[in-house]
Amino acid sequence: MQPGTDAPATTGPWTGLTERVTGELAGSLNLRRTALRLLDLLCPAFADWAVLALPELRSGRLVLHGGAELTATTPVTVRVDPDTGLGRVLSSGRTEVLHVAEEDGTALDAMIPHPRLREEAAELRPADIVGVALTARGTTIGVLVLVRGSNRGFPAEDVETAERLAARAALAIDSAQLYEDRTHVASVLQAGLRPPELPELPGARIAARIRSAAEHLDLSGDFYDVHGAGDDWLLVLGDVCGKGVEAAVLTGRTRQSIRTAAYFDRRPSQVLTALNTVLYEAESSRFVAVVCVRLRPIGDGSSAVASVAVAGHPPPVIIRAGGSIEQIEAVGTVAGVLPDLAYREVDVRLHLGDTMLLFTDGIYEARGADDFYGMGRLVELLPAYAGAGPEPVCEAVEQDVHEYLGGRPHDDMALFAVSWGR
């Protein structure tokens, strides 16, 4: 048997080890586990001590995996000198082989940029140390540092083996790094798209819900926001054209544009005009459907005026406290496709116990066994929840649509309800 492997040697002492590194690292998308498995395969058979040095692009740190304790992870924040051993391997991609004399630690200083790890390797003196570049996609992504003590040394054929091992390992490590980087980007993007916590509105209660399409979990194209202060608030519900990352980017741009516009002027017509201008000038092929409602109390606060404007979005419906349903007559072109659009506002009164429901087209276009859910079904459902408040209304609609789907795939769905009166 050859050292470090159960496979019989055929053409050399380490032939099976190279194949084993390839096979056991393939498919791993966890960077730390990949590094640990590589070191476990190499130590103590191929090397007496090993460290994997991987620069982090995001933090600028150098992270050292391994050492005497293979599971150890040691970040290094000091700058690696490009003229010393490790720095030269990182910058040139060429292998460095250094000898560590009994009383001289110069080679260790050059190749191991951490005092504790240097002390571990120094216990092997006299020793030989080799630094091999991990190269993937034409770039050196790290260095595999191997140490052999007890006069084992690194003959030329073992240095070549180390280079083959590093080449195989680099592909797996690069894949794991790419996966973790993309996961990080997605998580940051998702964090910026999460629905906001709803504020307390004087004189009103609000509730909202979003259900992302199953194939785009956590990257919904639907969104809602609340902007304002005092007795002047802007409620926003929107639906971005498309799915996935591109739609998520447009959602972020849309929400920020609305936030900025509302800071200067909360009139829904002006907010939508500003949004349309920003999106149109961005020359995107995608568009956004939005409904904006400006809510302000009237007189003693027993009622409020809701100014509504829509951009290609279904207008809200009002569930009066007495059980009647009013569908607001508001129309407007989607934002982002035509220049110089003007939007019209419609004012309605909300009295104590009235609830205004905003919803995206994912609600009435939910497809059941035979047809769409439809506006008629929604309007028939709502009177039973007159005076119930915003949360029960949202819950009832979401549950009814969910049951209508019967487990079938669905589009993003969003609901926003505001009831006047505490």
Side-chain angles (χ1 to χ4, degrees):
M1 296 289 181
Q2 59 185 312
T5 175
D6 297 330
T10 55
T11 59
W14 305 108
T15 302
L17 179 60
T18 305
E19 275 63 49
R20 193 172 178 188
V21 166
T22 303
E24 298 211 17
L25 301 189
S28 174
L29 293 177
N30 181 288
L31 180 59
R32 188 170 181 277
R33 282 203 294 269
T34 302
L36 176 60
R37 188 61 189 135
L38 172 64
L39 295 170
D40 189 48
L41 288 167
L42 299 182
C43 294
F46 187 75
D48 296 312
W49 188 93
V51 151
L52 195 59
L54 299 176
E56 279 188 341
L57 291 179
R58 287 200 301 273
S59 66
R61 302 182 309 174
L62 182 70
V63 178
L64 304 174
H65 297 272
E69 178 58 51
L70 295 183
T71 59
T73 299
T74 308
V76 177
T77 55
V78 297
R79 181 175 174 271
V80 177
D81 188 340
D83 294 325
T84 59
L86 185 65
R88 285 197 296 270
V89 179
L90 281 170
S91 59
S92 69
R94 291 195 291 272
T95 299
E96 292 262 342
V97 182
L98 304 171
H99 178 69
V100 183
E102 183 69 44
E103 301 299 332
D104 184 7
T106 305
L108 294 175
D109 294 341
M111 198 64 77
I112 305 173
H114 191 275
R116 176 179 56 78
L117 294 172
R118 279 198 297 272
E119 290 177 5
E120 292 176 3
E123 294 179 1
L124 298 170
R125 289 183 299 188
D128 288 281
I129 183 168
V130 60
V132 189
L134 300 166
T135 302
R137 295 179 292 129
T139 301
T140 300
I141 62 171
V143 177
L144 176 62
V145 179
L146 304 167
V147 178
R148 282 181 177 178
S150 304
N151 299 314
R152 292 177 65 187
F154 279 99
E157 58 269 29
D158 283 5
V159 173
E160 292 176 0
T161 298
E163 290 173 339
R164 286 197 297 272
L165 292 170
R168 305 292 179 89
L171 297 176
I173 290 170
D174 185 53
S175 296
Q177 283 183 325
L178 282 174
Y179 179 78
E180 292 195 358
D181 286 345
R182 288 177 181 177
T183 301
H184 175 72
V185 170
S187 66
V188 170
L189 189 58
Q190 288 168 3
L193 294 174
R194 287 196 186 101
E197 288 193 18
L198 295 177
E200 293 280 340
L201 266 60
R205 292 170 291 160
I206 57 178
R209 295 192 175 206
I210 281 185
R211 182 187 287 262
S212 302
E215 65 271 29
H216 296 288
L217 292 177
D218 296 331
L219 280 178
S220 172
D222 290 1
F223 66 92
Y224 62 80
D225 276 309
V226 181
H227 307 291
D231 58 0
D232 188 359
W233 293 85
L234 185 73
L235 318 178
V236 181
L237 185 72
D239 179 3
V240 168
C241 168
K243 304 294 179 192
V245 174
E246 292 81 3
V249 171
L250 183 56
T251 300
R253 180 182 298 163
T254 298
R255 291 177 65 182
Q256 187 57 47
S257 298
I258 291 174
R259 176 183 295 276
T260 303
Y263 179 81
F264 295 101
D265 190 339
R266 294 199 186 106
R267 287 178 294 173
S269 58
Q270 298 307 302
V271 170
L272 291 180
T273 297
L275 173 65
N276 179 69
T277 300
V278 169
L279 296 184
Y280 180 77
E281 291 180 351
E283 298 182 348
S284 170
S285 59
R286 297 174 183 269
F287 58 85
V288 178
V290 183
V291 53
C292 294
V293 178
R294 187 185 191 188
L295 191 66
R296 292 165 293 165
I298 297 175
D300 61 359
S302 60
S303 64
V305 60
S307 301
V308 180
V310 301
H313 198 279
V317 297
I318 299 175
I319 312 160
R320 295 297 182 189
S324 63
I325 303 298
E326 291 182 17
Q327 294 182 264
I328 299 173
E329 298 294 332
V331 294
T333 305
V334 292
V337 294
L338 295 172
D340 304 324
L341 288 178
Y343 293 91
R344 185 176 67 89
E345 294 179 14
V346 176
D347 287 350
V348 294
R349 289 278 186 101
L350 294 180
H351 304 282
L352 293 177
D354 292 345
T355 296
M356 176 182 284
L357 177 65
L358 291 68
F359 50 91
T360 56
D361 57 9
I363 297 296
Y364 60 85
E365 291 184 352
R367 184 178 284 277
D370 302 316
D371 204 350
F372 294 115
Y373 181 83
M375 280 299 298
R377 192 181 301 271
L378 178 63
V379 170
E380 289 179 6
L381 172 73
L382 294 177
Y385 296 90
E391 183 61 38
V393 168
C394 288
E395 182 177 358
V397 174
E398 182 184 35
Q399 182 64 29
D400 199 54
V401 173
H402 183 66
E403 291 176 359
Y404 184 80
L405 286 166
R408 294 171 184 79
H410 61 83
D411 197 357
D412 298 332
M413 294 186 286
L415 295 158
F416 194 110
V418 52
S419 297
W420 189 249
R422 303 300 298 173

